Amino acid sequence: AQKITQTQPGMFVQEKEAVTLDCTYDTSDQSYGLFWYKQPSSGEMIFLIYQGSYDEQNATEGRYSLNFQKARKSANLVISASQLGDSAMYFCAMREGITGGGNKLTFGTGTQLKVEL
Amino acid sequence: DVKVTQSSRYLVKRTGEKVFLECVQDMDHENMFWYRQDPGLGLRLIYFSYDVKMKEKGDIPEGYSVSREKKERFSLILESASTNQTSMYLCASSLTGNRNYGYTFGSGTRLTVV
């Protein structure tokens, strides 16, 4: 079974509009972390935002916010006021367990976002 | 600026060759990881290491091995390259106990096996 599911292979959004990228996850751990990464066409992976399973508030980082719904096991990324530079592949990822040694990230299949004028 | 450096950006190798992909980090991170990225499949973990000389299999270790003789260096080895190993390979590192930092990634090696 997929641990991280991103159901939107591709998304389009108009410049200056908000967009939501979906992510659902599956884990039996009580303690886990959820991440979003951006991968522009150049290939580097850029960390965007993190949400811990015990965090009561939704994480925000500038124009990025994470809509965390624990009961639904969803961790959607919201990008407000989209810019042309936001065009990229976006990956949702999960780290299970506490921050012990070697905890690995499991990634979703990604969503390709295209911002249009 | 903290960094994860992968030795090659692009690599073309022949079927059957032994291939070494090198990754070096300068952040004194304990954990290092090798992923491969394929369209429609996302990133899949090949191997990881949480200490020098330690290694753990990831989800797709077949056809690969790794070496970590020094803390800062984690090598991925394709013992006998095959065309189905043509892919983008990403190295990453992380710090144990750093709750929300996640990974630092290298810029990737695009390997083509012909």
Side-chain angles (χ1 to χ4, degrees):
Chain A
Q2 289 281 345
K3 287 198 171 183
I4 295 284
T5 302
Q6 294 180 253
T7 56
Q8 306 153 314
M11 288 279 286
F12 289 90
V13 64
Q14 294 285 324
E15 196 181 21
K16 299 178 186 171
E17 297 290 312
V19 62
T20 297
L21 306 184
D22 294 342
C23 174
T24 58
Y25 60 92
D26 182 26
T27 181
S28 55
D29 284 357
Q30 295 301 308
S31 178
Y32 51 89
L34 296 155
F35 300 77
W36 278 92
Y37 283 85
K38 173 184 178 181
Q39 187 181 44
S41 57
S42 54
E44 76 268 31
M45 294 283 281
I46 302 166
F47 166 71
L48 294 179
I49 197 165
Y50 167 84
Q51 179 85 43
S53 59
Y54 293 121
D55 294 341
E56 294 184 353
Q57 304 255 353
N58 284 346
T60 59
E61 292 285 349
R63 293 187 298 111
Y64 304 109
S65 60
L66 201 152
N67 184 0
F68 181 46
Q69 297 189 40
K70 197 169 182 176
R72 294 187 177 184
K73 292 190 175 176
S74 77
N76 298 339
L77 177 71
V78 180
I79 305 174
S80 62
S82 297
Q83 301 171 356
L84 294 177
D86 294 334
S87 294
M89 180 72 88
Y90 288 81
F91 290 100
C92 180
M94 176 172 65
R95 180 178 62 210
E96 294 176 277
I98 60 174
T99 53
N103 276 1
K104 55 192 181 171
L105 291 184
T106 301
F107 286 82
T109 52
T111 296
Q112 183 72 50
L113 176 67
K114 177 94 161 105
V115 180
E116 299 174 316
L117 288 169
Chain B
D1 196 14
V2 293
K3 254 175 148 173
V4 175
T5 303
Q6 293 184 231
S7 53
S8 302
R9 188 87 168 115
Y10 298 94
L11 214 50
V12 180
K13 295 292 181 181
R14 294 197 179 279
T15 302
E17 274 194 77
K18 190 168 185 175
V19 181
F20 292 86
L21 302 184
E22 305 288 345
C23 176
V24 177
Q25 50 96 2
D26 64 1
M27 297 166 284
D28 204 33
H29 283 178
E30 296 91 344
N31 310 309
M32 296 188 76
F33 309 83
W34 275 107
Y35 286 83
R36 66 176 281 177
Q37 181 180 358
D38 300 287
L41 297 177
L43 279 72
R44 294 178 292 164
L45 182 64
I46 306 170
Y47 267 96
F48 65 103
S49 168
Y50 53 87
D51 202 353
V52 176
K53 296 194 187 291
M54 305 299 287
K55 59 186 178 186
E56 295 278 345
K57 291 180 180 178
D59 300 316
I60 51 163
E62 296 78 20
Y64 303 95
S65 62
V66 289
S67 171
R68 192 163 181 206
E69 296 296 319
K70 293 185 178 181
K71 191 175 185 180
E72 66 270 19
R73 186 180 296 268
F74 192 36
S75 303
L76 180 69
I77 303 155
L78 286 66
E79 297 290 342
S80 177
S82 63
T83 54
N84 62 15
Q85 291 178 311
T86 291
S87 186
M88 169 72 96
Y89 290 87
L90 289 163
C91 176
S93 70
S94 74
L95 188 63
T96 295
N98 195 326
R99 191 181 90 100
N100 61 352
Y101 188 69
Y103 288 4
T104 301
F105 280 88
S107 53
T109 296
R110 189 166 292 281
L111 173 68
T112 303
V113 182
V114 298

